[in-house]
Amino acid sequence: MELYFLGTNAGVPSLQRNVTSIALRLMEERRSIWLFDCGEGTQHQFLKSPLKLSKLEKIFITHLHGDHLFGLPGLLSSRAYQGGLTPLTLYGPPGIQQYVETSLELSQSRVNYDLRIVEHEGGIIFEDDMFVVESALLEHRIDSYGYRVMEKDRPGSIDPSKLAVHGLKPGPLFGKLKRGESIELEDGMIVHPADVLGSPKKGKVITILGDTRPTPNVVPLSAGADVIVHEATFLHELASTAHDYYHSTAKQAAEAANEAGAKKLILTHFSSRYKDEEQLEPLLLEAQSIFPSTILAVEHELIPL
């Protein structure tokens, strides 16, 4: 898994940064991309990245403010031109379906793939044999949600010493055991996956939060997460401004990550007043003083998870 930031600015684009959009690349897990928010210009950012719209499988919108969804109509309509003909599911708060359908209808845009829109108000919004996605309401001027992506535990690696006990050699039967299927040997013996596999590999947990003031729901969404992506619109010296605009400071993001017992914190959604990396450095230092395992989101940089 890898995170790729397509936009990290708050409110409006700047000369240095685009507005919010985050890609979660699941190439080994399911050879697809999940997108979190889609601010204006996101499809242009795709063109500058190693990501392909044809691999886009799901989009999760945190809330209906323009800097988080104005890029949707263009991206959805352009996707087919870049080879994206597979189904796409869009998740978001109530109102997202009306926004998308009205935009596409009035612009006479055609989407020639299966587009499914799921409106939600929190809870488990998706589950299959590989992942569970949970959402919860945060505290913003309009309903804003955080998403907790939980990868299910994967089978352990095949243990060569255990294979030798059963006289097994590399071959097609390995794949069946790895997929959790039992096999029958030539002498009639049944070998179960548990007989030859090591301990299960713990699945990753990624928490991506929408715009929010500090709120209790952040902690359960982020509990034990391998990584939290949290907005840090302002330095804490502007905490009153952050509160008035329903945002968080770098210090508050670090306090949330610390309380949640997370492993890593990534700060994003920076105010335009912080124009470059030098001016963003104080936000990083502020957070690291509380939660050392903090980094700043940088556009067009892959972050392995």
mmCIF file of all heavy atoms in Angstrom, residues 82-104:
data_model
loop_
_atom_site.group_PDB
_atom_site.id
_atom_site.type_symbol
_atom_site.label_atom_id
_atom_site.label_comp_id
_atom_site.label_asym_id
_atom_site.label_seq_id
_atom_site.Cartn_x
_atom_site.Cartn_y
_atom_site.Cartn_z
ATOM 1 N N GLN A 82 -9.441 7.793 -20.454
ATOM 2 C CA GLN A 82 -8.132 7.300 -20.052
ATOM 3 C C GLN A 82 -8.168 5.800 -19.755
ATOM 4 O O GLN A 82 -7.364 5.280 -18.985
ATOM 5 C CB GLN A 82 -7.632 8.087 -18.842
ATOM 6 C CG GLN A 82 -7.435 9.556 -19.151
ATOM 7 C CD GLN A 82 -6.832 10.323 -17.999
ATOM 8 O OE1 GLN A 82 -5.991 9.799 -17.266
ATOM 9 N NE2 GLN A 82 -7.244 11.559 -17.818
ATOM 10 N N GLY A 83 -9.137 5.117 -20.369
ATOM 11 C CA GLY A 83 -9.192 3.662 -20.272
ATOM 12 C C GLY A 83 -9.962 3.127 -19.091
ATOM 13 O O GLY A 83 -9.937 1.924 -18.838
ATOM 14 N N GLY A 84 -10.657 3.991 -18.362
ATOM 15 C CA GLY A 84 -11.400 3.551 -17.194
ATOM 16 C C GLY A 84 -12.811 3.105 -17.539
ATOM 17 O O GLY A 84 -13.735 3.918 -17.557
ATOM 18 N N LEU A 85 -12.985 1.839 -17.810
ATOM 19 C CA LEU A 85 -14.296 1.301 -18.178
ATOM 20 C C LEU A 85 -14.857 0.358 -17.116
ATOM 21 O O LEU A 85 -15.987 -0.106 -17.237
ATOM 22 C CB LEU A 85 -14.198 0.571 -19.520
ATOM 23 C CG LEU A 85 -13.754 1.441 -20.706
ATOM 24 C CD1 LEU A 85 -13.589 0.581 -21.954
ATOM 25 C CD2 LEU A 85 -14.746 2.563 -20.960
ATOM 26 N N THR A 86 -14.077 0.074 -16.095
ATOM 27 C CA THR A 86 -14.530 -0.797 -15.010
ATOM 28 C C THR A 86 -15.455 -0.021 -14.065
ATOM 29 O O THR A 86 -15.436 1.209 -14.032
ATOM 30 C CB THR A 86 -13.334 -1.345 -14.228
ATOM 31 O OG1 THR A 86 -12.523 -0.244 -13.787
ATOM 32 C CG2 THR A 86 -12.503 -2.270 -15.097
ATOM 33 N N PRO A 87 -16.265 -0.718 -13.270
ATOM 34 C CA PRO A 87 -17.185 -0.035 -12.349
ATOM 35 C C PRO A 87 -16.435 0.843 -11.344
ATOM 36 O O PRO A 87 -15.306 0.549 -10.956
ATOM 37 C CB PRO A 87 -17.903 -1.191 -11.648
ATOM 38 C CG PRO A 87 -17.816 -2.330 -12.604
ATOM 39 C CD PRO A 87 -16.489 -2.189 -13.278
ATOM 40 N N LEU A 88 -17.100 1.918 -10.939
ATOM 41 C CA LEU A 88 -16.540 2.849 -9.956
ATOM 42 C C LEU A 88 -17.623 3.159 -8.932
ATOM 43 O O LEU A 88 -18.773 3.434 -9.294
ATOM 44 C CB LEU A 88 -16.093 4.137 -10.644
ATOM 45 C CG LEU A 88 -15.640 5.300 -9.757
ATOM 46 C CD1 LEU A 88 -14.374 4.928 -8.997
ATOM 47 C CD2 LEU A 88 -15.408 6.556 -10.585
ATOM 48 N N THR A 89 -17.262 3.103 -7.647
ATOM 49 C CA THR A 89 -18.211 3.414 -6.583
ATOM 50 C C THR A 89 -17.768 4.684 -5.873
ATOM 51 O O THR A 89 -16.603 4.817 -5.489
ATOM 52 C CB THR A 89 -18.315 2.269 -5.561
ATOM 53 O OG1 THR A 89 -18.637 1.054 -6.249
ATOM 54 C CG2 THR A 89 -19.413 2.567 -4.538
ATOM 55 N N LEU A 90 -18.710 5.609 -5.692
ATOM 56 C CA LEU A 90 -18.472 6.880 -5.028
ATOM 57 C C LEU A 90 -19.242 6.908 -3.717
ATOM 58 O O LEU A 90 -20.450 6.667 -3.699
ATOM 59 C CB LEU A 90 -18.930 8.023 -5.934
ATOM 60 C CG LEU A 90 -18.999 9.428 -5.336
ATOM 61 C CD1 LEU A 90 -17.616 9.922 -4.943
ATOM 62 C CD2 LEU A 90 -19.641 10.390 -6.345
ATOM 63 N N TYR A 91 -18.535 7.175 -2.616
ATOM 64 C CA TYR A 91 -19.146 7.248 -1.291
ATOM 65 C C TYR A 91 -19.063 8.688 -0.801
ATOM 66 O O TYR A 91 -18.041 9.361 -0.967
ATOM 67 C CB TYR A 91 -18.394 6.356 -0.302
ATOM 68 C CG TYR A 91 -18.318 4.895 -0.677
ATOM 69 C CD1 TYR A 91 -17.334 4.434 -1.553
ATOM 70 C CD2 TYR A 91 -19.209 3.968 -0.164
ATOM 71 C CE1 TYR A 91 -17.247 3.093 -1.903
ATOM 72 C CE2 TYR A 91 -19.134 2.617 -0.497
ATOM 73 C CZ TYR A 91 -18.148 2.187 -1.366
ATOM 74 O OH TYR A 91 -18.071 0.863 -1.718
ATOM 75 N N GLY A 92 -20.134 9.145 -0.142
ATOM 76 C CA GLY A 92 -20.093 10.493 0.405
ATOM 77 C C GLY A 92 -21.322 10.795 1.228
ATOM 78 O O GLY A 92 -22.263 9.997 1.301
ATOM 79 N N PRO A 93 -21.350 11.972 1.866
ATOM 80 C CA PRO A 93 -22.497 12.361 2.687
ATOM 81 C C PRO A 93 -23.744 12.576 1.834
ATOM 82 O O PRO A 93 -23.664 12.722 0.607
ATOM 83 C CB PRO A 93 -22.038 13.679 3.319
ATOM 84 C CG PRO A 93 -20.566 13.742 3.105
ATOM 85 C CD PRO A 93 -20.285 12.967 1.867
ATOM 86 N N PRO A 94 -24.922 12.605 2.464
ATOM 87 C CA PRO A 94 -26.153 12.925 1.728
ATOM 88 C C PRO A 94 -25.993 14.227 0.946
ATOM 89 O O PRO A 94 -25.465 15.209 1.464
ATOM 90 C CB PRO A 94 -27.193 13.059 2.848
ATOM 91 C CG PRO A 94 -26.698 12.163 3.935
ATOM 92 C CD PRO A 94 -25.196 12.299 3.893
ATOM 93 N N GLY A 95 -26.413 14.194 -0.307
ATOM 94 C CA GLY A 95 -26.263 15.328 -1.200
ATOM 95 C C GLY A 95 -25.243 15.082 -2.289
ATOM 96 O O GLY A 95 -25.270 15.739 -3.335
ATOM 97 N N ILE A 96 -24.349 14.105 -2.109
ATOM 98 C CA ILE A 96 -23.323 13.853 -3.110
ATOM 99 C C ILE A 96 -23.930 13.340 -4.413
ATOM 100 O O ILE A 96 -23.476 13.688 -5.504
ATOM 101 C CB ILE A 96 -22.264 12.853 -2.562
ATOM 102 C CG1 ILE A 96 -21.071 12.762 -3.512
ATOM 103 C CG2 ILE A 96 -22.848 11.483 -2.316
ATOM 104 C CD1 ILE A 96 -20.260 14.012 -3.614
ATOM 105 N N GLN A 97 -24.994 12.543 -4.317
ATOM 106 C CA GLN A 97 -25.617 12.030 -5.537
ATOM 107 C C GLN A 97 -26.247 13.156 -6.344
ATOM 108 O O GLN A 97 -26.077 13.228 -7.569
ATOM 109 C CB GLN A 97 -26.668 10.967 -5.189
ATOM 110 C CG GLN A 97 -27.312 10.348 -6.426
ATOM 111 C CD GLN A 97 -28.044 9.043 -6.109
ATOM 112 O OE1 GLN A 97 -27.951 8.516 -5.004
ATOM 113 N NE2 GLN A 97 -28.752 8.521 -7.078
ATOM 114 N N GLN A 98 -26.957 14.053 -5.679
ATOM 115 C CA GLN A 98 -27.579 15.187 -6.376
ATOM 116 C C GLN A 98 -26.519 16.057 -7.039
ATOM 117 O O GLN A 98 -26.683 16.498 -8.183
ATOM 118 C CB GLN A 98 -28.399 16.022 -5.402
ATOM 119 C CG GLN A 98 -29.081 17.219 -6.058
ATOM 120 C CD GLN A 98 -29.830 18.096 -5.042
ATOM 121 O OE1 GLN A 98 -29.881 17.774 -3.863
ATOM 122 N NE2 GLN A 98 -30.391 19.193 -5.518
ATOM 123 N N TYR A 99 -25.421 16.306 -6.329
ATOM 124 C CA TYR A 99 -24.348 17.137 -6.884
ATOM 125 C C TYR A 99 -23.779 16.519 -8.159
ATOM 126 O O TYR A 99 -23.627 17.193 -9.184
ATOM 127 C CB TYR A 99 -23.239 17.324 -5.852
ATOM 128 C CG TYR A 99 -22.008 17.990 -6.420
ATOM 129 C CD1 TYR A 99 -21.996 19.358 -6.668
ATOM 130 C CD2 TYR A 99 -20.878 17.242 -6.750
ATOM 131 C CE1 TYR A 99 -20.886 19.975 -7.223
ATOM 132 C CE2 TYR A 99 -19.761 17.851 -7.299
ATOM 133 C CZ TYR A 99 -19.766 19.213 -7.532
ATOM 134 O OH TYR A 99 -18.664 19.821 -8.086
ATOM 135 N N VAL A 100 -23.447 15.238 -8.104
ATOM 136 C CA VAL A 100 -22.815 14.588 -9.250
ATOM 137 C C VAL A 100 -23.789 14.464 -10.414
ATOM 138 O O VAL A 100 -23.466 14.811 -11.566
ATOM 139 C CB VAL A 100 -22.266 13.196 -8.845
ATOM 140 C CG1 VAL A 100 -21.852 12.396 -10.078
ATOM 141 C CG2 VAL A 100 -21.093 13.361 -7.896
ATOM 142 N N GLU A 101 -24.996 13.977 -10.137
ATOM 143 C CA GLU A 101 -25.961 13.765 -11.222
ATOM 144 C C GLU A 101 -26.356 15.076 -11.877
ATOM 145 O O GLU A 101 -26.491 15.161 -13.105
ATOM 146 C CB GLU A 101 -27.181 13.024 -10.694
ATOM 147 C CG GLU A 101 -26.870 11.566 -10.332
ATOM 148 C CD GLU A 101 -28.096 10.809 -9.833
ATOM 149 O OE1 GLU A 101 -29.123 11.466 -9.557
ATOM 150 O OE2 GLU A 101 -28.012 9.560 -9.719
ATOM 151 N N THR A 102 -26.536 16.137 -11.103
ATOM 152 C CA THR A 102 -26.898 17.435 -11.667
ATOM 153 C C THR A 102 -25.767 17.995 -12.510
ATOM 154 O O THR A 102 -25.980 18.507 -13.617
ATOM 155 C CB THR A 102 -27.262 18.432 -10.551
ATOM 156 O OG1 THR A 102 -28.359 17.920 -9.804
ATOM 157 C CG2 THR A 102 -27.637 19.792 -11.126
ATOM 158 N N SER A 103 -24.540 17.899 -12.020
ATOM 159 C CA SER A 103 -23.383 18.407 -12.765
ATOM 160 C C SER A 103 -23.227 17.692 -14.104
ATOM 161 O O SER A 103 -23.013 18.326 -15.140
ATOM 162 C CB SER A 103 -22.106 18.230 -11.938
ATOM 163 O OG SER A 103 -22.164 18.962 -10.746
ATOM 164 N N LEU A 104 -23.355 16.365 -14.070
ATOM 165 C CA LEU A 104 -23.192 15.597 -15.301
ATOM 166 C C LEU A 104 -24.357 15.832 -16.268
ATOM 167 O O LEU A 104 -24.162 15.929 -17.486
ATOM 168 C CB LEU A 104 -23.057 14.112 -14.978
ATOM 169 C CG LEU A 104 -21.816 13.702 -14.182
ATOM 170 C CD1 LEU A 104 -21.846 12.209 -13.871
ATOM 171 C CD2 LEU A 104 -20.527 14.067 -14.911
#
